[in-house]
Amino acid sequence: MKAVVLTRGLGRRMRAGEVEGLTPEQAAAAAAGLKAMMPVGPPSPAGPHRFLDHVLHELADAGVDRVALVVAPGHAEIRHWYRELVVPSRLAIDFVVQVEPRGTAHAVLAAESWVGSDEFLVVNGDNLYPADVLRRLVALGRPGLVAFERNALVVSGNIPAGRVGAFATIDATPQGDLIGLVEKPGAEAVRVDALVSMNCWRFDARIFPMCRAVVPSPRGEIELPAAVQHALAHGVSFRIVRAAAAVLDLSSRVDIAGVTRRLAQRAVRL
């Protein structure tokens, strides 16, 4: 199974503000907006494990054996880490360059030639999803997405209730097929029993023409939810995998301390 991990973002929220208690390495990563490469432990021979190490560990546990990291041009730090310092043995890592940060659908398009005709997962590099949830997505055998229960994200993860409204909520049939997504509905519009998309997908090659067909959002980005909506309109169906599970979100500097505490003693095997 292949997976495309989105690590190209500019990290605007991570760059903003000041938070006390960060290590010098963490402060440097935050200033550079390198969320996926945030040192959060535990220690390795090359230094503290990066957040992305934990993401890759969960993917490997779920049965993924090939990963494409979508990166910026000349992203030397991440290449050096995985080519020379921490070389994975459980999965093969390739690098796909997204020349400009033009949105999540644009990032998926950057990986089109790498994916070929295979089915593949798409996940964020700044979210840590549990392996058992990813394993269910791998076993799905068709396009789909994980639908996280809102309360589990708030109670068991590190996502405050006010932030849930910044993600997309999911509308699905009683049989578990996706009807549509509501992007960034705002916290007050997210019901207690809502299902939330954390950008954890399984696609086949039909998604690529849909990514090319969507128009830029008001922010000027080509967004993956819009491509999925376009796919739905053209007869592609997506099965939801419902999950009452926590997701660790590393969006801003205020998340670093809590994520570090949760992952400091967690074994990492790449």
Side-chain angles (χ1 to χ4, degrees):
M1 192 73 199
K2 291 181 175 179
V4 175
V5 183
L6 308 182
T7 63
R8 170 63 168 93
L10 294 174
R12 292 187 181 95
R13 284 175 293 175
M14 182 61 74
R15 294 173 190 261
E18 294 294 335
V19 174
E20 295 182 357
L22 303 184
T23 68
E25 282 184 303
Q26 289 176 332
L34 297 177
K35 296 182 287 185
M37 294 304 289
M38 182 64 61
V40 291
S44 79
H49 273 289
R50 276 33 179 176
F51 186 81
L52 185 55
D53 294 348
H54 296 272
V55 175
L56 296 174
H57 172 102
E58 297 297 308
L59 286 169
D61 275 2
V64 172
D65 55 10
R66 290 192 63 191
V67 169
L69 301 180
V70 181
V71 299
H75 211 322
E77 180 176 345
I78 191 169
R79 291 177 184 271
H80 180 63
W81 185 261
Y82 291 112
R83 286 286 186 252
E84 299 181 37
L85 299 180
V86 179
V87 181
S89 60
R90 294 206 292 159
L91 37 71
I93 292 182
D94 296 307
F95 295 91
V96 170
V97 175
Q98 183 187 15
V99 177
E100 299 178 58
R102 295 182 56 202
T104 49
H106 187 262
V108 170
L109 277 175
E112 183 174 9
S113 62
W114 180 85
V115 168
S117 60
D118 296 325
E119 297 189 12
F120 62 107
L121 305 189
V122 170
V123 299
N124 289 336
D126 58 358
N127 288 144
L128 182 60
Y129 314 91
D132 60 333
V133 174
L134 295 169
R135 193 175 296 115
R136 292 168 60 198
L137 198 58
V138 169
L140 191 59
R142 54 174 289 188
L145 74 158
V146 180
F148 291 95
E149 296 182 7
R150 178 261 185 204
N151 274 2
L153 293 175
V154 173
V155 174
S156 302
N158 72 324
I159 300 173
R163 191 185 296 176
V164 174
F167 304 112
T169 56
I170 294 168
D171 187 15
T173 68
Q175 295 75 32
D177 290 311
L178 179 66
I179 296 173
L181 300 165
V182 179
E183 270 287 279
K184 299 177 174 61
E188 67 284 350
V190 180
R191 302 188 315 270
V192 173
D193 61 347
L195 298 176
V196 179
S197 171
M198 296 294 295
N199 211 35
C200 187
W201 297 92
R202 176 176 174 141
F203 293 122
D204 59 28
R206 288 177 291 176
I207 196 62
F208 295 119
M210 304 302 162
C211 290
R212 280 190 287 271
V214 298
V215 298
S217 69
R219 297 190 302 165
E221 297 187 350
I222 303 172
E223 302 284 6
L224 194 52
V228 170
Q229 298 277 21
H230 196 60
L232 287 168
H234 285 76
V236 181
S237 62
F238 295 85
R239 175 73 73 176
I240 68 166
V241 174
R242 185 166 180 147
V247 174
L248 290 189
D249 182 36
L250 190 61
S251 292
S252 67
R253 296 188 187 210
V254 298
D255 300 321
I256 296 172
V259 168
T260 300
R261 283 194 300 271
R262 287 175 180 251
L263 300 181
Q265 303 302 319
R266 184 177 177 275
V268 177
R269 189 164 62 91
L270 299 177

